[in-house]
Amino acid sequence: MILFLSKYPVLDEEFRDGFYQRVENIDNFFHDDERTYLNISLFKNAKKQFKKVDKRTELSCNFFLHFFTIFQLFKRSNIVYIQSIFNALNALLFIMILDKKYILDVHGVVPEELNMQGKKLKSKIFNYVEKKVFNKLSIAITVTNRMTNHYSNKYRKSNCKFIEYAILPSHLKKKDIEEISSDYIEVIYSGNAQVWQNVDLMLKTIRDNLNPKIHYTILTGDLKTFEEKMIDYDIGSNNVTLKSVKPTELEYYYKKSHYGFVLRDDILVNNVACPTKIVEYLNYGIIPIVLSENIGDFKELGYEYLNLNSFNNIFKRKSSRNSEVINLIYKKNDIDLRKLVLS
């Protein structure tokens, strides 16, 4: 039995989230295996929540009330797959005392992300958790080569093996560039309003470039925040479409778009990342508008981007080069992850 330390996605907003897209993507490799998704809470789940779907069991527990249930799940499992270091926190005691084959899916540099958000104590806590987990790891699955280099340098004494597997959302349909014609230069933003997205800078850029030739589309699960911010920036709805859509509905908007905002700062958190947003953009030949081009491995792979400072130079076009780059990523991802994990 394989024990996954994660909640399995159920809600539409979860399937829009990059983290849960990763969970679903990895689960597809193990659909023939008996597996349990364990969600441990310190304060919630007073009553165990259980669900069985084919060979996948989903269980939500309370650390204190269901301690022995959790202990027995760890004992019975052959492999423990930790989906993000966040999910290792409430299971750390079991990880430290039980010798198992531990796999960590490294979605990002969590301690550094928390430090960037000003959460100093949490950053220290997860730095400790991360260090303890890397002492026990057999395999770390990273999303970029830069992330592999970061962790291999940070934990030089760890004996874990690194496997690189990029985040490719399950709703993506790889094909030659198909464009839905538009009378406008179409600029898109797909995502929410987290601090690292630099949403205020994006909205300021939109406000300063309300050109009748440009149409902006903002697709988000956080409509209220964007509605309020658009009022603050005095941005009307004439040139901007703001809406929330299901992952399966994204394709229409991506086929229509020529450029997409990805305004990430030039810092470690972004340098090692593989944002779902960029993968989606490149898949449809969209040209990312960037604050820094140093995001993940994309620059090394030769992606075409537009620096924010050159925004006034945009014109209607798709990028065949970005379609080639995404093909390289698909090719790198063409591995049997299950075989590598079980071997």
Side-chain angles (χ1 to χ4, degrees), residues 1-5 26 30 33-38 72-83 95 98-105 136-139 141 337-343:
M1 190 265 288
I2 302 172
L3 182 62
F4 284 88
L5 298 186
I26 297 299
F30 300 94
D33 297 288
E34 287 291 342
R35 61 210 188 278
T36 297
Y37 279 81
L38 178 61
Q72 287 302 319
L73 279 172
F74 268 82
K75 287 280 286 183
R76 283 174 43 217
S77 63
N78 302 313
I79 292 174
V80 178
Y81 194 112
I82 308 166
Q83 278 282 10
I95 294 170
L98 294 171
D99 289 329
K100 294 288 175 181
K101 186 173 185 178
Y102 291 102
I103 318 293
L104 174 65
D105 203 309
K136 299 280 287 192
L137 274 190
S138 297
I139 299 173
I141 299 176
L337 191 62
R338 178 184 180 276
K339 183 177 180 181
L340 292 171
V341 164
L342 297 181
S343 62

Side-chain angles (χ1 to χ4, degrees), residues 7-26:
K7 179 181 182 296
Y8 190 82
V10 176
L11 305 173
D12 283 344
E13 54 263 35
E14 290 174 339
F15 282 100
R16 281 194 291 265
D17 184 275
F19 172 83
Y20 286 114
Q21 288 174 7
R22 178 70 163 191
V23 172
E24 183 194 27
N25 188 208
I26 297 299

Side-chain angles (χ1 to χ4, degrees), residues 4 48 65 67 75 80 85 88 102 112-113 151 180 206 210 222 250 260 298 308 324:
F4 284 88
K48 279 189 285 191
L65 298 176
F67 183 91
K75 287 280 286 183
V80 178
I85 203 70
Y102 291 102
E112 290 80 1
E113 288 176 7
Y151 278 105
I180 295 176
I206 291 174
L210 289 174
D222 195 0
L250 287 170
F298 297 109
L308 185 64
E324 293 169 8

Side-chain angles (χ1 to χ4, degrees), residues 219-284:
L219 304 179
T220 180
D222 195 0
L223 288 172
K224 185 179 179 182
T225 298
F226 276 93
E227 286 168 353
E228 292 172 352
K229 283 183 175 292
M230 284 175 65
I231 292 171
D232 292 341
Y233 282 93
D234 195 25
I235 298 172
S237 59
N238 289 341
N239 293 73
V240 181
T241 296
L242 173 65
K243 65 192 307 182
S244 177
V245 300
K246 296 177 180 178
T248 52
E249 299 174 302
L250 287 170
E251 184 177 41
Y252 169 79
Y253 296 95
Y254 287 151
K255 282 182 177 180
K256 198 174 179 181
S257 299
H258 306 107
Y259 298 87
F261 285 109
V262 195
L263 302 182
R264 301 291 183 95
D265 294 304
D266 191 5
I267 55 176
L268 174 68
V269 170
N270 298 321
N271 295 159
V272 303
C274 182
T276 304
K277 193 187 333 295
I278 292 191
V279 171
E280 291 175 334
Y281 289 172
L282 300 189
N283 193 74
Y284 290 93

Side-chain angles (χ1 to χ4, degrees), residues 117-325:
Q117 296 169 29
K119 300 175 181 177
K120 307 295 183 184
L121 178 59
K122 277 191 174 182
S123 177
K124 289 180 180 178
I125 290 171
F126 279 99
N127 205 55
Y128 173 82
V129 172
E130 188 181 85
K131 182 178 179 180
K132 292 298 181 183
V133 169
F134 264 87
N135 285 339
K136 299 280 287 192
L137 274 190
S138 297
I139 299 173
I141 299 176
T142 60
V143 295
T144 64
N145 185 54
R146 283 189 171 194
M147 185 176 284
T148 297
N149 291 338
H150 166 72
Y151 278 105
S152 59
N153 287 326
K154 187 174 182 179
Y155 298 109
R156 293 178 183 274
K157 294 182 180 180
S158 175
N159 294 319
C160 77
K161 173 186 175 185
F162 287 91
I163 298 173
E164 187 182 324
Y165 185 75
I167 298 174
L168 294 176
S170 57
H171 62 264
L172 282 190
K173 299 173 183 176
K174 188 69 204 95
K175 56 183 70 176
D176 294 333
I177 293 176
E178 295 180 21
E179 184 173 0
I180 295 176
S181 63
S182 171
D183 294 331
Y184 304 95
I185 301 169
E186 295 284 350
V187 181
I188 196 169
Y189 173 76
S190 178
N192 292 324
Q194 300 97 329
V195 62
W196 60 85
Q197 305 282 16
N198 280 314
V199 165
D200 287 285
L201 177 59
M202 179 185 76
L203 292 174
K204 181 179 181 299
T205 301
I206 291 174
R207 181 197 65 194
D208 295 343
N209 291 274
L210 289 174
N211 187 317
K213 293 182 179 179
I214 304 174
H215 178 259
Y216 300 94
T217 299
I218 297 174
L219 304 179
T220 180
D222 195 0
L223 288 172
K224 185 179 179 182
T225 298
F226 276 93
E227 286 168 353
E228 292 172 352
K229 283 183 175 292
M230 284 175 65
I231 292 171
D232 292 341
Y233 282 93
D234 195 25
I235 298 172
S237 59
N238 289 341
N239 293 73
V240 181
T241 296
L242 173 65
K243 65 192 307 182
S244 177
V245 300
K246 296 177 180 178
T248 52
E249 299 174 302
L250 287 170
E251 184 177 41
Y252 169 79
Y253 296 95
Y254 287 151
K255 282 182 177 180
K256 198 174 179 181
S257 299
H258 306 107
Y259 298 87
F261 285 109
V262 195
L263 302 182
R264 301 291 183 95
D265 294 304
D266 191 5
I267 55 176
L268 174 68
V269 170
N270 298 321
N271 295 159
V272 303
C274 182
T276 304
K277 193 187 333 295
I278 292 191
V279 171
E280 291 175 334
Y281 289 172
L282 300 189
N283 193 74
Y284 290 93
I286 296 171
I287 301 166
I289 300 168
V290 301
L291 193 58
S292 164
E293 67 273 19
N294 298 315
I295 303 174
D297 296 337
F298 297 109
K299 188 176 181 181
E300 285 75 9
L301 292 171
Y303 81 126
E304 184 177 5
Y305 59 87
L306 181 79
N307 194 281
L308 185 64
N309 295 329
S310 302
F311 188 87
N312 57 349
N313 292 329
I314 64 174
F315 57 95
K316 194 190 300 186
R317 70 187 184 95
K318 290 276 195 179
S319 170
S320 58
R321 176 58 194 161
N322 285 347
S323 184
E324 293 169 8
V325 168

